[in-house]
Amino acid sequence: MLLVPLSFLVALFLAVFLVRLLGEGRESWRRNGLFLALLALYVVQSLLVGLRWGYGMMAVLPALPVMASLVPALSFLAFRDLTRERPGLSVHDWPHLLPMLATLVLLVVGRAPVDLVIIANFLGYGLALLWLGRLGPDGLIAARLDGSLRSFRALMLTAIALIASALTDVAISLDMLWSGGRYSPMVVSAATTLILLLLGIGAVTAGQEEAGEGADAAADQPIALEPRALSVLDRPSVPEDATNISTSASPAPTRAATEDHRHIATALDDLMREKRLWSDPNLNLARLARRLGLPARAVSEAVNRVHAISVSHYVNNHRISEACRLLAETDMPVTRILFEAGFMTKSNFNREFLRVTGESPSDWRRQLSRLPGGEKVT
């Protein structure tokens, strides 16, 4: 019976998503070039792991540590693009090649210190990604606002996977010391395959969110509001101001808002109402900040202090308010309404609608027909 290593299946799984992202066109390639390169690297690395530990092909052994040394830096650079107004590489990023060059040199002159370099590489970039995510979803100013939460989770997943890889290498070193490497092949094959899968999922999630092709996902953690507190049966009309939803559905700010914060929040409220910026599916925090002529951090802090929610929730609340209006006043299908409201994926729309109203869009509309006399919400 032909042996098919698990890592080959992981490579196939990641290759399918790579092809899907490539099918999005050149504009997607430009926006997600680093994530595409990252996925391609994971596919090749998974194949090499399968050849080495599944079929015992020693010829691929030198390539494994060299390619592995590229993973942390490329992961960091890909997610870093989501935190900058002007993404992309520059000549100042050349130091990120040093781990790969150091690994290559050490393999030529002697393999002994290579493991330590790889451990430090994965651990260092894993911690760097955790630092990158310290501001939460609002720190990803270049990420689309309806998918910034999933992009943030992908960032954290990648950071954890890199750190886990470093700890796995430590475990292998200890096994070599204590038992002469008795369990090392099994640990290397299983751990590497699992970690590449986790890293691939992180890259796929972030890449798909920015391409507008996110897969369906479970709803976010429930908010403090009662599940149906905003359903049609509990209120006489669709909310006129989405910020009223956001403040009522959120805990009180941890720090008091200053006059400057209130001024920025008011200006943003006016801009959202007058220009309907929420209708732009590619809207991100960087664009909002540019329209206000302010740093992204200042806008994020103002929204957090005044409304006690993230910028993504703030914008999505406006979108859900519009979706409720369209559900109540028109016969548009839900699949069209989600685009009219500024969402790009059905999964994100359903998740945000459930967060705000406690119901799915179809159930929310169905409730309208049960009102006395069949009247519609105004």
Side-chain angles (χ1 to χ4, degrees):
M1 180 177 179
L2 179 65
L3 171 66
V4 180
L6 179 60
S7 57
F8 280 14
L9 300 180
V10 171
L12 178 62
F13 170 78
L14 298 178
V16 169
F17 284 101
L18 177 60
V19 171
R20 286 184 59 185
L21 289 175
L22 288 173
E24 292 297 318
R26 292 189 177 183
E27 179 61 24
S28 176
W29 302 351
R30 184 187 65 81
R31 291 197 310 265
N32 307 305
L34 290 177
F35 284 111
L36 292 173
L38 198 55
L39 273 176
L41 179 60
Y42 294 154
V43 170
V44 175
Q45 186 77 346
S46 296
L47 291 174
L48 293 179
V49 169
L51 291 174
R52 169 62 184 91
W53 301 105
Y55 296 114
M57 294 183 60
M58 300 297 294
V60 303
L61 190 57
L64 284 173
V66 175
M67 295 195 66
S69 65
L70 288 173
V71 169
L74 193 53
S75 299
F76 175 81
L77 292 172
F79 282 102
R80 188 196 62 177
D81 269 5
L82 299 181
T83 68
R84 305 169 71 182
E85 292 193 28
R86 295 183 178 180
L89 299 177
S90 70
V91 294
H92 301 293
D93 292 323
W94 69 266
H96 293 286
L97 290 174
L98 291 178
M100 185 270 290
L101 295 175
T103 301
L104 189 59
V105 170
L106 289 174
L107 284 174
V108 173
V109 300
R111 182 177 173 80
V114 170
D115 292 339
L116 294 178
V117 172
I118 292 178
I119 290 173
N121 187 18
F122 274 74
L123 184 59
Y125 276 106
L127 294 174
L129 280 174
L130 289 179
W131 175 255
L132 205 61
R134 71 191 184 283
L135 299 178
D138 282 353
L140 306 181
I141 63 174
R144 291 188 302 107
L145 287 172
D146 74 323
S148 60
L149 180 60
R150 292 186 67 197
S151 295
F152 172 72
R153 289 173 175 170
L155 184 154
M156 301 305 289
L157 176 63
T158 302
I160 292 171
L162 291 178
I163 294 173
S165 179
L167 297 178
T168 299
D169 284 345
V170 172
I172 292 171
S173 298
L174 293 176
D175 177 57
M176 295 291 291
L177 179 64
W178 293 338
S179 64
R182 180 180 177 184
Y183 303 104
S184 292
M186 178 181 63
V187 172
V188 170
S189 180
T192 303
T193 299
L194 177 60
I195 288 167
L196 284 172
L197 177 61
L198 292 177
L199 290 170
I201 290 173
V204 165
T205 301
Q208 284 185 327
E209 282 301 335
E210 297 315 303
E213 289 292 332
D216 288 344
D220 294 336
Q221 292 295 322
I223 52 181
L225 191 66
E226 287 295 322
R228 294 183 179 269
L230 291 173
S231 70
V232 67
L233 297 181
D234 296 326
R235 52 185 171 84
S237 64
V238 176
E240 296 179 359
D241 185 358
T243 57
N244 292 335
I245 297 177
S246 65
T247 53
S248 65
S250 306
T254 55
R255 290 183 291 177
T258 65
E259 192 62 33
D260 286 341
H261 292 143
R262 294 190 183 92
H263 177 74
I264 294 172
T266 300
L268 180 59
D269 291 342
D270 293 341
L271 188 63
M272 294 293 286
R273 280 194 300 266
E274 295 170 5
K275 302 298 183 181
R276 293 169 59 92
L277 295 183
W278 45 263
S279 62
D280 178 7
N282 291 313
L283 185 66
N284 55 38
L285 179 54
R287 291 186 182 183
L288 279 179
R290 282 198 298 270
R291 292 298 294 267
L292 291 170
L294 295 169
R297 181 70 181 273
V299 177
S300 172
E301 189 173 274
V303 172
N304 293 338
R305 296 282 191 92
V306 175
H307 297 302
I309 54 176
S310 66
V311 175
S312 61
H313 279 178
Y314 168 83
V315 172
N316 287 339
N317 285 351
H318 279 276
R319 290 168 170 166
I320 296 303
S321 180
E322 173 67 4
C324 287
R325 186 188 70 79
L326 293 174
L327 286 168
E329 299 178 2
T330 74
D331 294 324
M332 286 185 190
V334 174
T335 51
R336 180 180 171 187
I337 287 176
L338 74 92
F339 294 115
E340 293 288 336
F343 289 93
M344 287 190 71
T345 64
K346 185 178 180 181
S347 60
N348 287 340
F349 173 63
N350 288 340
R351 183 183 66 244
E352 289 300 293
F353 199 96
L354 180 63
R355 176 183 64 82
V356 175
T357 69
E359 297 177 296
S360 70
S362 299
D363 289 341
W364 196 94
R365 172 176 267 176
R366 196 174 296 117
Q367 295 285 0
L368 297 179
S369 63
R370 300 177 185 174
L371 292 178
E375 71 229 32
K376 285 193 173 184
V377 174
T378 59

